[in-house]
Amino acid sequence: MNERYRLPYANFTVAVLAFFVGACMALMQALSRADLPLPLRSEQIYYLSMTAHGVLMALVFTTFFIMGLGYVFARTTLGQDTVNERVGWISFFVALIGTVLTAGAILSGTSTVLYTFYPPLQAHPLFYIGAALLVVGSWIWCWLMIRAYRLWRRDHAEAAIPLAMHGMLTTVIVWILATVGIAIEVVGMLIPWSLGITTTIDPVLARTFFWWFGHPLVYFWLLPAYAVWYAVLPRVAGGRLFSDPLARVVFVLFILLSTPVGFHHQFADPGISAGWKLAHTFATLAILFPSLLTAFTIIASLEVAGRLRGGKGLFNWIARLPWDDPLVSCVILAMLTFAVGGFGGAINAAYAMNAMVHNTAWVQGHFHLTVGTAVALTFMGTAYWLLPRITGKELRLKPVAQVQPYLWVIGMGLFSIVNHVTGMMGMPRRVYDLSYGGSPVAAAWAEWTTISAVGGVVLFVSAMMFVLVVFATVVWGKVGQAPAFEYAVPLDPAEPRASVWDRMGLWTVAAAALVLIAYLYPILQLLSMERFGSIGWKPF
Ligand code: HAS
Ligand code: CU1
């Protein structure tokens, strides 16, 4: 193991462990969908498991993976000494302690509040304190990333930021702007309420702060994946990045537009005026644009790769792509899935159509295509690419790694498409009782859910294949020469000097102003109405 990668390696280890436990929870939930008489099956266990699955997959796996990737990008593009190792370990342990506290609170059965922890559902104080520590750990990581950039900038006053790091800095900025909302909710509202210092809580206000954080959270997941698509994929595929400036424009658009869109999760909430909901709708439609640009640029880059590898004609280049490379297949399959998930996102965002899908199984279908595949499958591919580079060991069980992404997409197709269908039939999300109290409407979706259960089992098999490859490589991998970290080169030689798209400070200030415009007035409006509080509610 190369000393330099010990810190990212520790972060990746926690990420993979969280993924492993989260996947086991998911299997139980999927089988529950088939209404099988499983041992231990009960409402309480179902919701406990779903809380653990959501928190471990969406919050722990992603955050630790992204922190690890940030260290790798910083060290390999800005210079080895730009990351302060000691502070990195502090960040790691703070986040780890937070994870252990939150996971412990969930597993003790006292905190069955699902990953959105909406009040008045109330968790044990340690659930919230743990979540806060996970965020504090990530803030320390943010500080390290910014510090690394500034150290590099001192010696490279005029240079353009290396693209992988440009994407990572965007992630950091989006995360800082987003977590202000969750910090206000958790520290200002949930912790005092769970400790009994305050007796009631204002659910709509809490949800507003939650979604201030919750939407940009999805781009905190997506942007590191995009950084891999732009800065790594074209290289591994044997091609060039189609356009370097377009990539930078995309990242900057995410800084600006990620946060002022949260009300698209609250179209059905009272107390927020229709005008503000519409304003957030427009901003949401605008944020489809950088993903459409990404679709264009990455497909064009892949075409360059296919043609450089001898592809001719309109489509033959696709067959020439190195489909046997697990990073390449993971990312292309992730992209194909994201095209469907993103289309669904546009439907969610349409103010009127949202009423058809809100709180139905459609929504879980949507986010398993986006975070559950576009992001998670990209991260799995990235792990296959990273492991030999940071451990110096050859990837073991390569054929398993080659098949695993296809199984993931088949499983996800069965699972998520069915969720979209049953959602349209009116099946609510987060239901344990499939008969829905004997409702005749529920009879229509009963058979469909069995298909989604089969999808869940296929996904579980694929997840275990991923964990197996990682485990086998780490334990039995043959030590050899670690391949170098090489990043994509643009088709047109990149402009070596920094451009306006590298002015991170400027874009952060502009984005902060947009966040204030989007939230200050509606929050003041909420506060000026007569407020009612709710006491805490624990279903189990
Ligand atoms: Fe979403 C709900 C709107 C993207 C995650 N979303 C959720 C929830 C999650 C989530 C977790 O407006 C549930 C929250 C909860 O528990 O309540 N979402 C959007 C929109 C987008 C979007 C407009 N979502 C994401 C991403 C996520 C994510 C990314 C995670 C990573 N979402 C919503 C809305 C709701 C919502 C409402 C609330 C619903 C409700 O009522 O509760 C956009 O960012 C999507 C843009 C994407 C595209 C696709 C571009 C395509 C690309 C690939 C092309 C490549 C190809 C491959 C075809 C426009 C980049 C070619 C291959 C070759 C070989 C050549
Ligand atoms: Cu959203």
Side-chain angles (χ1 to χ4, degrees):
M1 155 75 59
N2 189 328
E3 281 290 316
R4 204 158 31 132
Y5 297 122
R6 208 157 263 197
L7 181 59
Y9 185 72
N11 281 275
F12 293 133
T13 306
V14 177
V16 174
L17 285 176
F19 177 85
F20 172 70
V21 180
C24 294
M25 299 288 190
L27 177 67
M28 197 286 266
Q29 287 151 224
L31 292 177
S32 221
R33 283 270 158 267
D35 231 354
L36 298 174
L38 304 167
L40 292 179
R41 187 175 172 224
S42 68
E43 276 103 331
Q44 182 170 8
I45 295 291
Y46 179 77
Y47 288 108
L48 182 152
S49 159
M50 203 154 70
T51 307
H53 169 71
V55 169
L56 288 173
M57 291 300 210
L59 305 176
V60 180
F61 163 61
T62 50
T63 305
F64 277 93
F65 194 91
I66 293 165
M67 294 197 291
L69 190 62
Y71 293 131
V72 171
F73 281 173
R75 288 217 157 126
T76 53
T77 66
L78 303 181
Q80 281 196 52
D81 306 328
T82 51
V83 175
N84 182 320
E85 188 85 10
R86 193 167 327 151
V87 180
W89 285 109
I90 296 176
S91 149
F92 172 76
F93 282 110
V94 170
L96 184 63
I97 293 169
T99 301
V100 170
L101 290 181
T102 300
I106 298 169
L107 295 177
S108 73
T110 57
S111 305
T112 304
V113 289
L114 306 179
Y115 86 106
T116 41
F117 46 88
Y118 288 149
L121 284 180
Q122 194 181 49
H124 191 278
L126 286 180
F127 175 93
Y128 303 117
I129 293 170
L133 285 177
L134 176 60
V135 172
V136 171
S138 75
W139 280 345
I140 302 174
W141 168 81
C142 287
W143 179 81
L144 278 172
M145 290 293 107
I146 295 170
R147 178 180 172 275
Y149 166 65
R150 295 178 76 112
L151 283 177
W152 171 86
R153 187 48 96 201
R154 275 210 313 238
D155 303 330
H156 303 80
E158 303 281 317
I161 307 170
L163 189 59
M165 207 51 209
H166 190 278
M168 198 46 83
L169 286 171
T170 323
T171 310
V172 166
I173 296 166
V174 166
W175 187 238
I176 293 172
L177 291 172
T179 43
V180 173
I182 199 76
I184 298 174
E185 188 202 0
V186 171
V187 178
M189 300 176 79
L190 293 170
I191 292 180
W193 175 62
S194 66
L195 287 170
I197 299 169
T198 52
T199 47
T200 61
I201 197 157
D202 183 335
V204 174
L205 189 62
R207 282 165 66 94
T208 303
F209 285 121
F210 183 84
W211 286 115
W212 163 330
F213 156 80
H215 187 79
L217 167 67
V218 316
Y219 298 127
F220 169 70
W221 300 328
L222 184 69
L223 286 168
Y226 274 13
V228 171
W229 296 10
Y230 280 108
V232 179
L233 173 73
R235 179 90 189 203
V236 180
R240 304 273 167 76
L241 173 62
F242 182 72
S243 164
D244 176 275
L246 263 185
R248 289 174 203 263
V249 171
V250 163
F251 287 131
V252 168
L253 283 173
F254 276 108
I255 301 184
L256 291 175
L257 291 168
S258 284
T259 316
V261 296
F263 291 157
H264 69 221
H265 293 268
Q266 294 182 274
F267 287 146
D269 284 16
I272 300 163
S273 72
W276 280 104
K277 288 177 179 169
L278 193 63
H280 283 223
T281 301
F282 284 136
T284 308
L285 296 177
I287 209 167
L288 288 166
F289 182 61
S291 285
L292 295 171
L293 279 181
T294 301
F296 172 78
T297 312
I298 304 296
I299 294 174
S301 308
L302 288 173
E303 181 175 350
V304 172
R307 293 198 187 285
L308 283 173
R309 300 170 70 92
K312 302 253 179 316
L314 215 49
F315 295 114
N316 181 263
W317 58 269
I318 298 177
R320 289 300 177 104
L321 292 170
W323 289 92
D324 57 340
D325 184 285
L327 173 91
V328 173
S329 55
C330 277
V331 173
I332 296 181
L333 294 173
M335 289 174 69
L336 284 167
T337 312
F338 192 47
V340 184
F343 178 74
I347 291 173
N348 299 345
Y351 199 164
M353 277 195 284
N354 180 270
M356 291 190 302
V357 299
H358 183 61
N359 271 346
T360 71
W362 168 289
V363 174
Q364 88 225 14
H366 164 71
F367 71 68
H368 281 85
L369 295 181
T370 51
V371 63
T373 304
V375 172
L377 196 53
T378 298
F379 286 179
M380 291 182 234
T382 308
Y384 297 139
W385 175 77
L386 276 169
L387 263 181
R389 287 171 174 76
I390 63 175
T391 61
K393 293 180 178 173
E394 263 173 42
L395 199 67
R396 288 303 298 258
L397 306 176
K398 197 166 172 207
V400 178
Q402 285 167 323
V403 175
Q404 179 269 323
Y406 293 91
L407 271 190
W408 188 270
V409 167
I410 293 170
M412 201 51 99
L414 294 172
F415 177 80
S416 285
I417 303 302
V418 165
N419 277 315
H420 282 82
V421 174
T422 51
M424 293 300 284
M425 293 165 123
M427 179 175 152
R429 65 189 285 200
R430 301 170 158 173
V431 271
Y432 167 73
D433 173 19
L434 290 179
S435 77
Y436 215 51
S439 148
V441 183
W445 68 58
E447 264 135 52
W448 286 95
T449 55
T450 312
I451 305 177
S452 73
V454 174
V457 174
V458 178
L459 279 169
F460 178 73
V461 173
S462 173
M464 291 307 117
M465 287 163 79
F466 165 70
V467 175
L468 183 68
V469 173
V470 172
F471 185 77
T473 304
V474 169
V475 179
W476 297 296
K478 234 192 355 220
V479 183
Q481 181 75 27
F485 279 95
E486 288 175 321
Y487 294 98
V489 177
L491 201 53
D492 251 358
E495 174 60 48
R497 287 163 63 92
S499 72
V500 66
W501 308 111
D502 295 298
R503 304 216 20 212
M504 293 296 172
L506 170 75
W507 299 117
T508 309
V509 172
L514 286 176
V515 176
L516 280 183
I517 294 172
Y519 278 105
L520 196 60
Y521 190 77
I523 287 176
L524 290 176
Q525 226 174 5
L526 257 183
L527 291 175
S528 70
M529 296 173 200
E530 193 179 346
R531 308 306 307 153
F532 301 95
S534 172
I535 56 165
W537 195 67
K538 292 186 173 172
F540 303 109

